[in-house]
Amino acid sequence: MMRRLAAGAAVVALAAGLSGCIIIASEGGERTVLVDSAPLAAPAYVSLYTDAVADPKRPAEEVARDPLRHPAEILAFAQLAPGDKVADVRPGAGYFTRLFSDVVGPTGRVYAFVPERTMTRENPMADALVAAYPNVTRVNGLLDAMTYDQPLDMVFMSQEYHDFHIPGFNTDVAKMNAAVFAALKPGGRYILIDHQAAAGTGISAVQTLHRIEGDYLKREVEAAGFVFEGESAAVANPADDHSLNVFDEAIRGKTDQFVYRFRKPG
């Protein structure tokens, strides 16, 4: 019941801002969680987002993270729609994969992309998602040569992009972004969430702090041909000074994160 009540509140908050910014209440008053010049998803989809968040199949430990991850706002910003074909790159235990599966529905498809480097430990988690959700498919491959069996509407990475600059991943990030571009339909979206690094630091903290400078990432993705379309402050935290490793207990789960949406022209 409490989950349904929370979902209802999210419907009101999301519906209020479908034409531009979304404003939701917080303990300190109002805060803008979307800064976006493009229209958001159709109003008819708002209930799909909140129903997905309220799905009783979601594990309790994932639901407990919702106040920090703002999933309904992220789904709206990503403009996810029924029938979409989506790649969730390195989905882990499937926090977003489950939500995507509910929204895209039986005519959609969610590809849980597990890189070859990490598939020994991560394939079992992806296979559990496949077993629980008929519209989820596991895909393995190289990050900088990823392909899918049909054109995609969206490629999504949450807190992963910075890792692919770490030498151990042996990934050419420019080629990875080019592979994402090729995998998307014209007009397809590339959604990236990551931990913000200090201004001017570029990729220097990707291994030490697990952070990446948002402006640096933006330039890399635009170099692949994408158009930057908007950003969300849903998981931003101005109190984070960007100096701590994201796994430091003082900041873990509460880092300052950016959420960017890029679009393939066409």
Side-chain angles (χ1 to χ4, degrees), residues 31 53 58 61-75 88 91 93-96 99 156-160 193 195 232 234-236 253-254 257 259:
R31 68 185 180 103
V53 173
R58 296 182 66 217
E61 61 271 21
E62 293 192 359
V63 174
R65 299 163 68 194
D66 289 350
L68 293 173
R69 304 199 77 173
H70 300 280
E73 291 92 334
I74 298 299
L75 291 171
D88 188 2
Y95 180 94
F96 281 106
L99 298 168
F156 180 89
M157 297 183 194
S158 177
Q159 302 175 350
E160 298 294 338
I193 304 175
H195 307 281
S232 166
V235 286
K254 299 173 288 187
Q257 297 171 57
V259 188

PDB file of all heavy atoms in Angstrom, residues 31 53 58 61-75 88 91 93-96 99 156-160 193 195 232 234-236 253-254 257 259:
ATOM      1  N   ARG A  31      12.251  21.628  -5.629  1.00  0.00           N
ATOM      2  CA  ARG A  31      13.512  21.613  -6.355  1.00  0.00           C
ATOM      3  C   ARG A  31      13.245  21.170  -7.778  1.00  0.00           C
ATOM      4  O   ARG A  31      12.382  20.344  -8.040  1.00  0.00           O
ATOM      5  CB  ARG A  31      14.543  20.683  -5.710  1.00  0.00           C
ATOM      6  CG  ARG A  31      14.249  19.215  -5.771  1.00  0.00           C
ATOM      7  CD  ARG A  31      15.300  18.437  -4.992  1.00  0.00           C
ATOM      8  NE  ARG A  31      15.055  17.026  -5.036  1.00  0.00           N
ATOM      9  CZ  ARG A  31      15.730  16.182  -5.795  1.00  0.00           C
ATOM     10  NH1 ARG A  31      16.684  16.620  -6.577  1.00  0.00           N
ATOM     11  NH2 ARG A  31      15.451  14.889  -5.783  1.00  0.00           N
ATOM     12  N   VAL A  53       7.631   1.514 -11.009  1.00  0.00           N
ATOM     13  CA  VAL A  53       8.303   1.715  -9.721  1.00  0.00           C
ATOM     14  C   VAL A  53       7.575   0.965  -8.614  1.00  0.00           C
ATOM     15  O   VAL A  53       8.192   0.435  -7.685  1.00  0.00           O
ATOM     16  CB  VAL A  53       8.412   3.220  -9.407  1.00  0.00           C
ATOM     17  CG1 VAL A  53       8.954   3.447  -8.002  1.00  0.00           C
ATOM     18  CG2 VAL A  53       9.304   3.918 -10.439  1.00  0.00           C
ATOM     19  N   ARG A  58       9.619  -6.093  -7.770  1.00  0.00           N
ATOM     20  CA  ARG A  58      10.931  -5.477  -7.538  1.00  0.00           C
ATOM     21  C   ARG A  58      11.470  -5.897  -6.163  1.00  0.00           C
ATOM     22  O   ARG A  58      10.739  -5.861  -5.160  1.00  0.00           O
ATOM     23  CB  ARG A  58      10.838  -3.956  -7.607  1.00  0.00           C
ATOM     24  CG  ARG A  58      10.445  -3.418  -8.971  1.00  0.00           C
ATOM     25  CD  ARG A  58      10.427  -1.899  -8.972  1.00  0.00           C
ATOM     26  NE  ARG A  58      11.761  -1.358  -8.782  1.00  0.00           N
ATOM     27  CZ  ARG A  58      12.044  -0.270  -8.076  1.00  0.00           C
ATOM     28  NH1 ARG A  58      11.070   0.383  -7.441  1.00  0.00           N
ATOM     29  NH2 ARG A  58      13.275   0.155  -7.971  1.00  0.00           N
ATOM     30  N   GLU A  61      15.422  -4.603  -1.612  1.00  0.00           N
ATOM     31  CA  GLU A  61      16.662  -3.837  -1.505  1.00  0.00           C
ATOM     32  C   GLU A  61      16.778  -2.797  -2.608  1.00  0.00           C
ATOM     33  O   GLU A  61      17.433  -1.758  -2.436  1.00  0.00           O
ATOM     34  CB  GLU A  61      17.885  -4.757  -1.521  1.00  0.00           C
ATOM     35  CG  GLU A  61      18.067  -5.600  -2.762  1.00  0.00           C
ATOM     36  CD  GLU A  61      17.357  -6.944  -2.699  1.00  0.00           C
ATOM     37  OE1 GLU A  61      16.410  -7.089  -1.896  1.00  0.00           O
ATOM     38  OE2 GLU A  61      17.754  -7.841  -3.472  1.00  0.00           O
ATOM     39  N   GLU A  62      16.144  -3.035  -3.748  1.00  0.00           N
ATOM     40  CA  GLU A  62      16.155  -2.038  -4.814  1.00  0.00           C
ATOM     41  C   GLU A  62      15.147  -0.929  -4.524  1.00  0.00           C
ATOM     42  O   GLU A  62      15.424   0.246  -4.761  1.00  0.00           O
ATOM     43  CB  GLU A  62      15.873  -2.702  -6.155  1.00  0.00           C
ATOM     44  CG  GLU A  62      16.995  -3.646  -6.579  1.00  0.00           C
ATOM     45  CD  GLU A  62      16.893  -4.101  -8.011  1.00  0.00           C
ATOM     46  OE1 GLU A  62      15.931  -3.702  -8.706  1.00  0.00           O
ATOM     47  OE2 GLU A  62      17.783  -4.855  -8.442  1.00  0.00           O
ATOM     48  N   VAL A  63      13.982  -1.308  -4.028  1.00  0.00           N
ATOM     49  CA  VAL A  63      12.984  -0.307  -3.660  1.00  0.00           C
ATOM     50  C   VAL A  63      13.552   0.651  -2.611  1.00  0.00           C
ATOM     51  O   VAL A  63      13.295   1.870  -2.659  1.00  0.00           O
ATOM     52  CB  VAL A  63      11.707  -0.984  -3.132  1.00  0.00           C
ATOM     53  CG1 VAL A  63      10.717   0.049  -2.600  1.00  0.00           C
ATOM     54  CG2 VAL A  63      11.062  -1.833  -4.224  1.00  0.00           C
ATOM     55  N   ALA A  64      14.352   0.125  -1.704  1.00  0.00           N
ATOM     56  CA  ALA A  64      14.937   0.959  -0.647  1.00  0.00           C
ATOM     57  C   ALA A  64      15.858   2.034  -1.209  1.00  0.00           C
ATOM     58  O   ALA A  64      16.097   3.055  -0.560  1.00  0.00           O
ATOM     59  CB  ALA A  64      15.693   0.077   0.341  1.00  0.00           C
ATOM     60  N   ARG A  65      16.359   1.837  -2.417  1.00  0.00           N
ATOM     61  CA  ARG A  65      17.266   2.808  -3.034  1.00  0.00           C
ATOM     62  C   ARG A  65      16.523   3.888  -3.814  1.00  0.00           C
ATOM     63  O   ARG A  65      17.125   4.866  -4.269  1.00  0.00           O
ATOM     64  CB  ARG A  65      18.243   2.077  -3.962  1.00  0.00           C
ATOM     65  CG  ARG A  65      19.123   1.067  -3.245  1.00  0.00           C
ATOM     66  CD  ARG A  65      19.771   0.099  -4.212  1.00  0.00           C
ATOM     67  NE  ARG A  65      20.749   0.740  -5.071  1.00  0.00           N
ATOM     68  CZ  ARG A  65      21.270   0.182  -6.170  1.00  0.00           C
ATOM     69  NH1 ARG A  65      20.865  -1.008  -6.543  1.00  0.00           N
ATOM     70  NH2 ARG A  65      22.155   0.828  -6.882  1.00  0.00           N
ATOM     71  N   ASP A  66      15.230   3.731  -3.997  1.00  0.00           N
ATOM     72  CA  ASP A  66      14.470   4.667  -4.828  1.00  0.00           C
ATOM     73  C   ASP A  66      14.561   6.125  -4.387  1.00  0.00           C
ATOM     74  O   ASP A  66      14.647   7.016  -5.246  1.00  0.00           O
ATOM     75  CB  ASP A  66      13.006   4.247  -4.897  1.00  0.00           C
ATOM     76  CG  ASP A  66      12.784   2.987  -5.726  1.00  0.00           C
ATOM     77  OD1 ASP A  66      13.733   2.541  -6.400  1.00  0.00           O
ATOM     78  OD2 ASP A  66      11.648   2.454  -5.692  1.00  0.00           O
ATOM     79  N   PRO A  67      14.527   6.426  -3.075  1.00  0.00           N
ATOM     80  CA  PRO A  67      14.603   7.839  -2.691  1.00  0.00           C
ATOM     81  C   PRO A  67      15.880   8.529  -3.158  1.00  0.00           C
ATOM     82  O   PRO A  67      15.899   9.761  -3.325  1.00  0.00           O
ATOM     83  CB  PRO A  67      14.524   7.793  -1.162  1.00  0.00           C
ATOM     84  CG  PRO A  67      13.779   6.536  -0.867  1.00  0.00           C
ATOM     85  CD  PRO A  67      14.260   5.563  -1.897  1.00  0.00           C
ATOM     86  N   LEU A  68      16.937   7.765  -3.371  1.00  0.00           N
ATOM     87  CA  LEU A  68      18.193   8.342  -3.848  1.00  0.00           C
ATOM     88  C   LEU A  68      18.317   8.296  -5.369  1.00  0.00           C
ATOM     89  O   LEU A  68      19.013   9.118  -5.957  1.00  0.00           O
ATOM     90  CB  LEU A  68      19.387   7.605  -3.225  1.00  0.00           C
ATOM     91  CG  LEU A  68      19.576   7.781  -1.713  1.00  0.00           C
ATOM     92  CD1 LEU A  68      20.694   6.868  -1.212  1.00  0.00           C
ATOM     93  CD2 LEU A  68      19.891   9.235  -1.375  1.00  0.00           C
ATOM     94  N   ARG A  69      17.615   7.356  -6.007  1.00  0.00           N
ATOM     95  CA  ARG A  69      17.797   7.158  -7.452  1.00  0.00           C
ATOM     96  C   ARG A  69      16.675   7.768  -8.296  1.00  0.00           C
ATOM     97  O   ARG A  69      16.810   7.883  -9.513  1.00  0.00           O
ATOM     98  CB  ARG A  69      17.950   5.670  -7.764  1.00  0.00           C
ATOM     99  CG  ARG A  69      19.096   5.019  -6.996  1.00  0.00           C
ATOM    100  CD  ARG A  69      19.552   3.719  -7.606  1.00  0.00           C
ATOM    101  NE  ARG A  69      20.367   3.947  -8.793  1.00  0.00           N
ATOM    102  CZ  ARG A  69      21.005   2.973  -9.435  1.00  0.00           C
ATOM    103  NH1 ARG A  69      20.909   1.719  -9.014  1.00  0.00           N
ATOM    104  NH2 ARG A  69      21.725   3.233 -10.506  1.00  0.00           N
ATOM    105  N   HIS A  70      15.562   8.143  -7.684  1.00  0.00           N
ATOM    106  CA  HIS A  70      14.470   8.834  -8.376  1.00  0.00           C
ATOM    107  C   HIS A  70      14.102   8.160  -9.705  1.00  0.00           C
ATOM    108  O   HIS A  70      14.145   8.789 -10.773  1.00  0.00           O
ATOM    109  CB  HIS A  70      14.843  10.300  -8.609  1.00  0.00           C
ATOM    110  CG  HIS A  70      15.116  11.053  -7.348  1.00  0.00           C
ATOM    111  ND1 HIS A  70      14.106  11.553  -6.545  1.00  0.00           N
ATOM    112  CD2 HIS A  70      16.290  11.377  -6.712  1.00  0.00           C
ATOM    113  CE1 HIS A  70      14.641  12.150  -5.493  1.00  0.00           C
ATOM    114  NE2 HIS A  70      15.960  12.046  -5.558  1.00  0.00           N
ATOM    115  N   PRO A  71      13.716   6.898  -9.662  1.00  0.00           N
ATOM    116  CA  PRO A  71      13.514   6.154 -10.919  1.00  0.00           C
ATOM    117  C   PRO A  71      12.401   6.693 -11.805  1.00  0.00           C
ATOM    118  O   PRO A  71      12.541   6.679 -13.036  1.00  0.00           O
ATOM    119  CB  PRO A  71      13.208   4.728 -10.436  1.00  0.00           C
ATOM    120  CG  PRO A  71      12.716   4.885  -9.034  1.00  0.00           C
ATOM    121  CD  PRO A  71      13.496   6.039  -8.481  1.00  0.00           C
ATOM    122  N   ALA A  72      11.291   7.159 -11.241  1.00  0.00           N
ATOM    123  CA  ALA A  72      10.210   7.661 -12.093  1.00  0.00           C
ATOM    124  C   ALA A  72      10.664   8.874 -12.898  1.00  0.00           C
ATOM    125  O   ALA A  72      10.338   9.015 -14.085  1.00  0.00           O
ATOM    126  CB  ALA A  72       8.982   8.007 -11.250  1.00  0.00           C
ATOM    127  N   GLU A  73      11.446   9.750 -12.261  1.00  0.00           N
ATOM    128  CA  GLU A  73      11.957  10.928 -12.969  1.00  0.00           C
ATOM    129  C   GLU A  73      12.941  10.524 -14.060  1.00  0.00           C
ATOM    130  O   GLU A  73      12.952  11.117 -15.150  1.00  0.00           O
ATOM    131  CB  GLU A  73      12.633  11.896 -11.989  1.00  0.00           C
ATOM    132  CG  GLU A  73      11.660  12.572 -11.037  1.00  0.00           C
ATOM    133  CD  GLU A  73      11.489  11.807  -9.728  1.00  0.00           C
ATOM    134  OE1 GLU A  73      11.697  10.573  -9.703  1.00  0.00           O
ATOM    135  OE2 GLU A  73      11.145  12.442  -8.723  1.00  0.00           O
ATOM    136  N   ILE A  74      13.764   9.516 -13.782  1.00  0.00           N
ATOM    137  CA  ILE A  74      14.731   9.062 -14.785  1.00  0.00           C
ATOM    138  C   ILE A  74      14.005   8.460 -15.982  1.00  0.00           C
ATOM    139  O   ILE A  74      14.358   8.714 -17.143  1.00  0.00           O
ATOM    140  CB  ILE A  74      15.715   8.046 -14.170  1.00  0.00           C
ATOM    141  CG1 ILE A  74      16.527   8.684 -13.031  1.00  0.00           C
ATOM    142  CG2 ILE A  74      16.641   7.492 -15.257  1.00  0.00           C
ATOM    143  CD1 ILE A  74      17.382   9.863 -13.438  1.00  0.00           C
ATOM    144  N   LEU A  75      12.968   7.658 -15.748  1.00  0.00           N
ATOM    145  CA  LEU A  75      12.201   7.069 -16.846  1.00  0.00           C
ATOM    146  C   LEU A  75      11.562   8.160 -17.704  1.00  0.00           C
ATOM    147  O   LEU A  75      11.551   8.060 -18.944  1.00  0.00           O
ATOM    148  CB  LEU A  75      11.130   6.135 -16.289  1.00  0.00           C
ATOM    149  CG  LEU A  75      11.630   4.846 -15.625  1.00  0.00           C
ATOM    150  CD1 LEU A  75      10.471   4.134 -14.934  1.00  0.00           C
ATOM    151  CD2 LEU A  75      12.307   3.923 -16.621  1.00  0.00           C
ATOM    152  N   ASP A  88      20.419  -2.004 -21.910  1.00  0.00           N
ATOM    153  CA  ASP A  88      20.887  -1.592 -20.586  1.00  0.00           C
ATOM    154  C   ASP A  88      22.288  -2.161 -20.447  1.00  0.00           C
ATOM    155  O   ASP A  88      22.475  -3.365 -20.272  1.00  0.00           O
ATOM    156  CB  ASP A  88      19.948  -2.148 -19.508  1.00  0.00           C
ATOM    157  CG  ASP A  88      20.252  -1.598 -18.124  1.00  0.00           C
ATOM    158  OD1 ASP A  88      21.164  -0.768 -17.989  1.00  0.00           O
ATOM    159  OD2 ASP A  88      19.562  -2.010 -17.162  1.00  0.00           O
ATOM    160  N   PRO A  91      24.050  -4.139 -16.707  1.00  0.00           N
ATOM    161  CA  PRO A  91      22.904  -3.867 -15.838  1.00  0.00           C
ATOM    162  C   PRO A  91      23.056  -4.305 -14.397  1.00  0.00           C
ATOM    163  O   PRO A  91      22.222  -3.956 -13.564  1.00  0.00           O
ATOM    164  CB  PRO A  91      21.782  -4.658 -16.508  1.00  0.00           C
ATOM    165  CG  PRO A  91      22.479  -5.794 -17.179  1.00  0.00           C
ATOM    166  CD  PRO A  91      23.782  -5.211 -17.664  1.00  0.00           C
ATOM    167  N   ALA A  93      22.539  -6.114 -11.105  1.00  0.00           N
ATOM    168  CA  ALA A  93      21.411  -6.892 -10.588  1.00  0.00           C
ATOM    169  C   ALA A  93      20.100  -6.537 -11.267  1.00  0.00           C
ATOM    170  O   ALA A  93      19.085  -7.201 -11.038  1.00  0.00           O
ATOM    171  CB  ALA A  93      21.296  -6.709  -9.083  1.00  0.00           C
ATOM    172  N   GLY A  94      20.091  -5.485 -12.087  1.00  0.00           N
ATOM    173  CA  GLY A  94      18.911  -5.193 -12.887  1.00  0.00           C
ATOM    174  C   GLY A  94      17.996  -4.116 -12.359  1.00  0.00           C
ATOM    175  O   GLY A  94      16.807  -4.094 -12.704  1.00  0.00           O
ATOM    176  N   TYR A  95      18.521  -3.185 -11.566  1.00  0.00           N
ATOM    177  CA  TYR A  95      17.673  -2.116 -11.015  1.00  0.00           C
ATOM    178  C   TYR A  95      16.847  -1.449 -12.118  1.00  0.00           C
ATOM    179  O   TYR A  95      15.622  -1.342 -12.016  1.00  0.00           O
ATOM    180  CB  TYR A  95      18.528  -1.086 -10.289  1.00  0.00           C
ATOM    181  CG  TYR A  95      17.746   0.065  -9.690  1.00  0.00           C
ATOM    182  CD1 TYR A  95      17.328   0.027  -8.362  1.00  0.00           C
ATOM    183  CD2 TYR A  95      17.415   1.188 -10.447  1.00  0.00           C
ATOM    184  CE1 TYR A  95      16.594   1.080  -7.806  1.00  0.00           C
ATOM    185  CE2 TYR A  95      16.691   2.235  -9.909  1.00  0.00           C
ATOM    186  CZ  TYR A  95      16.281   2.178  -8.590  1.00  0.00           C
ATOM    187  OH  TYR A  95      15.539   3.219  -8.061  1.00  0.00           O
ATOM    188  N   PHE A  96      17.516  -0.983 -13.174  1.00  0.00           N
ATOM    189  CA  PHE A  96      16.794  -0.311 -14.247  1.00  0.00           C
ATOM    190  C   PHE A  96      16.208  -1.298 -15.253  1.00  0.00           C
ATOM    191  O   PHE A  96      15.170  -1.016 -15.863  1.00  0.00           O
ATOM    192  CB  PHE A  96      17.694   0.706 -14.950  1.00  0.00           C
ATOM    193  CG  PHE A  96      17.845   1.996 -14.189  1.00  0.00           C
ATOM    194  CD1 PHE A  96      19.022   2.281 -13.518  1.00  0.00           C
ATOM    195  CD2 PHE A  96      16.814   2.910 -14.123  1.00  0.00           C
ATOM    196  CE1 PHE A  96      19.165   3.466 -12.802  1.00  0.00           C
ATOM    197  CE2 PHE A  96      16.943   4.102 -13.417  1.00  0.00           C
ATOM    198  CZ  PHE A  96      18.122   4.386 -12.754  1.00  0.00           C
ATOM    199  N   LEU A  99      12.621  -2.048 -14.458  1.00  0.00           N
ATOM    200  CA  LEU A  99      11.752  -0.907 -14.744  1.00  0.00           C
ATOM    201  C   LEU A  99      11.525  -0.771 -16.250  1.00  0.00           C
ATOM    202  O   LEU A  99      10.392  -0.560 -16.706  1.00  0.00           O
ATOM    203  CB  LEU A  99      12.372   0.367 -14.183  1.00  0.00           C
ATOM    204  CG  LEU A  99      12.563   0.412 -12.664  1.00  0.00           C
ATOM    205  CD1 LEU A  99      13.447   1.593 -12.278  1.00  0.00           C
ATOM    206  CD2 LEU A  99      11.222   0.509 -11.948  1.00  0.00           C
ATOM    207  N   PHE A 156      21.360   2.793 -22.660  1.00  0.00           N
ATOM    208  CA  PHE A 156      21.368   3.356 -21.311  1.00  0.00           C
ATOM    209  C   PHE A 156      22.569   2.825 -20.539  1.00  0.00           C
ATOM    210  O   PHE A 156      22.859   1.631 -20.560  1.00  0.00           O
ATOM    211  CB  PHE A 156      20.074   2.939 -20.609  1.00  0.00           C
ATOM    212  CG  PHE A 156      19.908   3.448 -19.194  1.00  0.00           C
ATOM    213  CD1 PHE A 156      19.311   4.674 -18.942  1.00  0.00           C
ATOM    214  CD2 PHE A 156      20.321   2.681 -18.115  1.00  0.00           C
ATOM    215  CE1 PHE A 156      19.135   5.132 -17.645  1.00  0.00           C
ATOM    216  CE2 PHE A 156      20.155   3.128 -16.816  1.00  0.00           C
ATOM    217  CZ  PHE A 156      19.556   4.354 -16.577  1.00  0.00           C
ATOM    218  N   MET A 157      23.277   3.730 -19.860  1.00  0.00           N
ATOM    219  CA  MET A 157      24.363   3.346 -18.958  1.00  0.00           C
ATOM    220  C   MET A 157      24.216   4.139 -17.667  1.00  0.00           C
ATOM    221  O   MET A 157      24.152   5.370 -17.698  1.00  0.00           O
ATOM    222  CB  MET A 157      25.737   3.648 -19.557  1.00  0.00           C
ATOM    223  CG  MET A 157      26.094   2.904 -20.809  1.00  0.00           C
ATOM    224  SD  MET A 157      27.782   3.318 -21.343  1.00  0.00           S
ATOM    225  CE  MET A 157      27.770   2.671 -23.008  1.00  0.00           C
ATOM    226  N   SER A 158      24.180   3.444 -16.552  1.00  0.00           N
ATOM    227  CA  SER A 158      24.080   4.108 -15.258  1.00  0.00           C
ATOM    228  C   SER A 158      25.321   3.817 -14.426  1.00  0.00           C
ATOM    229  O   SER A 158      25.577   2.662 -14.072  1.00  0.00           O
ATOM    230  CB  SER A 158      22.833   3.630 -14.505  1.00  0.00           C
ATOM    231  OG  SER A 158      22.759   4.222 -13.231  1.00  0.00           O
ATOM    232  N   GLN A 159      26.106   4.859 -14.171  1.00  0.00           N
ATOM    233  CA  GLN A 159      27.296   4.784 -13.322  1.00  0.00           C
ATOM    234  C   GLN A 159      28.333   3.815 -13.877  1.00  0.00           C
ATOM    235  O   GLN A 159      29.109   3.224 -13.123  1.00  0.00           O
ATOM    236  CB  GLN A 159      26.908   4.396 -11.888  1.00  0.00           C
ATOM    237  CG  GLN A 159      25.916   5.338 -11.240  1.00  0.00           C
ATOM    238  CD  GLN A 159      25.453   4.874  -9.873  1.00  0.00           C
ATOM    239  OE1 GLN A 159      25.722   3.749  -9.457  1.00  0.00           O
ATOM    240  NE2 GLN A 159      24.757   5.733  -9.156  1.00  0.00           N
ATOM    241  N   GLU A 160      28.369   3.673 -15.199  1.00  0.00           N
ATOM    242  CA  GLU A 160      29.282   2.724 -15.828  1.00  0.00           C
ATOM    243  C   GLU A 160      30.281   3.377 -16.778  1.00  0.00           C
ATOM    244  O   GLU A 160      31.401   2.894 -16.929  1.00  0.00           O
ATOM    245  CB  GLU A 160      28.489   1.667 -16.611  1.00  0.00           C
ATOM    246  CG  GLU A 160      27.552   0.818 -15.769  1.00  0.00           C
ATOM    247  CD  GLU A 160      28.287  -0.070 -14.780  1.00  0.00           C
ATOM    248  OE1 GLU A 160      29.482  -0.352 -14.995  1.00  0.00           O
ATOM    249  OE2 GLU A 160      27.675  -0.456 -13.769  1.00  0.00           O
ATOM    250  N   ILE A 193      24.190   8.248 -17.022  1.00  0.00           N
ATOM    251  CA  ILE A 193      24.227   8.706 -15.633  1.00  0.00           C
ATOM    252  C   ILE A 193      25.607   8.377 -15.094  1.00  0.00           C
ATOM    253  O   ILE A 193      26.090   7.259 -15.267  1.00  0.00           O
ATOM    254  CB  ILE A 193      23.168   7.991 -14.770  1.00  0.00           C
ATOM    255  CG1 ILE A 193      21.771   8.157 -15.361  1.00  0.00           C
ATOM    256  CG2 ILE A 193      23.215   8.492 -13.332  1.00  0.00           C
ATOM    257  CD1 ILE A 193      20.692   7.376 -14.619  1.00  0.00           C
ATOM    258  N   HIS A 195      28.920   9.632 -12.000  1.00  0.00           N
ATOM    259  CA  HIS A 195      29.370  10.410 -10.853  1.00  0.00           C
ATOM    260  C   HIS A 195      30.211  11.584 -11.342  1.00  0.00           C
ATOM    261  O   HIS A 195      31.203  11.398 -12.054  1.00  0.00           O
ATOM    262  CB  HIS A 195      30.225   9.540  -9.916  1.00  0.00           C
ATOM    263  CG  HIS A 195      29.577   8.258  -9.503  1.00  0.00           C
ATOM    264  ND1 HIS A 195      28.616   8.192  -8.518  1.00  0.00           N
ATOM    265  CD2 HIS A 195      29.756   6.980  -9.942  1.00  0.00           C
ATOM    266  CE1 HIS A 195      28.242   6.931  -8.348  1.00  0.00           C
ATOM    267  NE2 HIS A 195      28.904   6.174  -9.202  1.00  0.00           N
ATOM    268  N   SER A 232      19.257  16.144 -16.552  1.00  0.00           N
ATOM    269  CA  SER A 232      18.404  16.084 -15.373  1.00  0.00           C
ATOM    270  C   SER A 232      19.252  16.283 -14.133  1.00  0.00           C
ATOM    271  O   SER A 232      20.382  15.781 -14.050  1.00  0.00           O
ATOM    272  CB  SER A 232      17.693  14.731 -15.301  1.00  0.00           C
ATOM    273  OG  SER A 232      17.128  14.522 -14.025  1.00  0.00           O
ATOM    274  N   ALA A 234      17.992  15.218 -11.269  1.00  0.00           N
ATOM    275  CA  ALA A 234      17.263  14.347 -10.339  1.00  0.00           C
ATOM    276  C   ALA A 234      18.167  13.718  -9.295  1.00  0.00           C
ATOM    277  O   ALA A 234      17.753  13.498  -8.158  1.00  0.00           O
ATOM    278  CB  ALA A 234      16.513  13.262 -11.110  1.00  0.00           C
ATOM    279  N   VAL A 235      19.400  13.389  -9.673  1.00  0.00           N
ATOM    280  CA  VAL A 235      20.317  12.735  -8.733  1.00  0.00           C
ATOM    281  C   VAL A 235      21.552  13.603  -8.478  1.00  0.00           C
ATOM    282  O   VAL A 235      22.620  13.112  -8.099  1.00  0.00           O
ATOM    283  CB  VAL A 235      20.714  11.329  -9.223  1.00  0.00           C
ATOM    284  CG1 VAL A 235      19.562  10.368  -9.048  1.00  0.00           C
ATOM    285  CG2 VAL A 235      21.176  11.341 -10.683  1.00  0.00           C
ATOM    286  N   ALA A 236      21.393  14.902  -8.668  1.00  0.00           N
ATOM    287  CA  ALA A 236      22.479  15.828  -8.342  1.00  0.00           C
ATOM    288  C   ALA A 236      22.556  16.038  -6.830  1.00  0.00           C
ATOM    289  O   ALA A 236      21.563  15.918  -6.121  1.00  0.00           O
ATOM    290  CB  ALA A 236      22.256  17.167  -9.032  1.00  0.00           C
ATOM    291  N   GLY A 253      26.257   6.357  -2.362  1.00  0.00           N
ATOM    292  CA  GLY A 253      24.820   6.450  -2.600  1.00  0.00           C
ATOM    293  C   GLY A 253      24.299   7.863  -2.675  1.00  0.00           C
ATOM    294  O   GLY A 253      23.126   8.081  -3.013  1.00  0.00           O
ATOM    295  N   LYS A 254      25.148   8.852  -2.357  1.00  0.00           N
ATOM    296  CA  LYS A 254      24.703  10.251  -2.318  1.00  0.00           C
ATOM    297  C   LYS A 254      25.600  11.161  -3.144  1.00  0.00           C
ATOM    298  O   LYS A 254      25.641  12.375  -2.933  1.00  0.00           O
ATOM    299  CB  LYS A 254      24.657  10.741  -0.872  1.00  0.00           C
ATOM    300  CG  LYS A 254      23.693   9.966   0.025  1.00  0.00           C
ATOM    301  CD  LYS A 254      23.813  10.367   1.488  1.00  0.00           C
ATOM    302  CE  LYS A 254      25.125   9.836   2.076  1.00  0.00           C
ATOM    303  NZ  LYS A 254      25.195  10.069   3.547  1.00  0.00           N
ATOM    304  N   GLN A 257      25.572  13.396  -9.180  1.00  0.00           N
ATOM    305  CA  GLN A 257      25.534  12.685 -10.452  1.00  0.00           C
ATOM    306  C   GLN A 257      24.845  13.535 -11.512  1.00  0.00           C
ATOM    307  O   GLN A 257      23.890  14.250 -11.233  1.00  0.00           O
ATOM    308  CB  GLN A 257      24.785  11.359 -10.305  1.00  0.00           C
ATOM    309  CG  GLN A 257      25.463  10.385  -9.343  1.00  0.00           C
ATOM    310  CD  GLN A 257      24.594   9.187  -9.053  1.00  0.00           C
ATOM    311  OE1 GLN A 257      24.182   8.463  -9.975  1.00  0.00           O
ATOM    312  NE2 GLN A 257      24.284   8.957  -7.790  1.00  0.00           N
ATOM    313  N   VAL A 259      22.840  13.423 -15.300  1.00  0.00           N
ATOM    314  CA  VAL A 259      22.044  12.566 -16.177  1.00  0.00           C
ATOM    315  C   VAL A 259      21.910  13.310 -17.497  1.00  0.00           C
ATOM    316  O   VAL A 259      21.288  14.376 -17.548  1.00  0.00           O
ATOM    317  CB  VAL A 259      20.645  12.271 -15.598  1.00  0.00           C
ATOM    318  CG1 VAL A 259      19.920  11.231 -16.447  1.00  0.00           C
ATOM    319  CG2 VAL A 259      20.733  11.826 -14.148  1.00  0.00           C
TER     320      VAL A 259
END
